Amino acid sequence: MSGPLDSTGSVPALGLPLEPSPDDALTALAELGRFAGLEVGVWEMAPGTTTDVEADEVFVVIAGRGRVDFPDTGRRLDLGVGDLVRLTAGDRTVWTVTETLRKVYLAPPA
C-alpha cells in the first residue's frame, strides 16, 4: 500500500473522505501509508453496535464518543476525544458508538 503519509506530509484527518467497509455498514476507513513498518489510517464508526476480534493497534480518538466492551474479561473502555488507546490482538470486543467516532490508528500490516 502506498499513501499520502508514506513521506513528509499532512492530511485533514477530521475531514478526510473515507471508504465504506464492505464488511460492516457502520464503519469506514482510509489507509494513509506506513510509518516504521506500521499501517497508518483513519477509521470511523457511525452510531450503533458492532463486534470485532482485534488486531494489535494504538489509536487516538479525534471525534465522537462510544465505548468498547471486552466480553471475555468484563472490561470496558469509555472513549472520547483525545483518548489514547492500545488494543491487543485476539481480544473479542463489542463497540457501541453514541456519537460518530473517528480515530487515527497505527497497526502492524494485516
Side-chain angles (χ1 to χ4, degrees), residues 4-5 10-18 32 42 62 102 104:
L5 291 183
S10 69
V11 296
L14 281 174
L16 187 69
L18 307 179
L32 302 176
V42 176
I62 62 171
R102 187 173 277 220
V104 174

Side-chain angles (χ1 to χ4, degrees), residues 7-87:
S7 60
T8 302
S10 69
V11 296
L14 281 174
L16 187 69
L18 307 179
E19 293 291 322
S21 170
D23 302 324
D24 186 342
L26 293 176
T27 64
L29 172 73
E31 294 179 0
L32 302 176
R34 300 259 187 251
F35 173 78
L38 298 172
E39 179 182 308
V40 179
V42 176
W43 178 89
E44 182 176 275
M45 182 175 161
T49 301
T50 193
T51 61
D52 199 9
V53 176
E54 298 302 330
D56 282 325
E57 176 182 343
V58 172
F59 67 85
V60 176
V61 176
I62 62 171
R65 299 198 70 67
R67 72 175 185 266
V68 182
D69 290 296
F70 299 80
D72 295 334
T73 64
R75 188 166 185 193
R76 170 178 283 177
L77 298 176
D78 291 312
L79 304 175
V81 173
D83 287 341
L84 175 64
V85 179
R86 162 59 155 100
L87 297 175

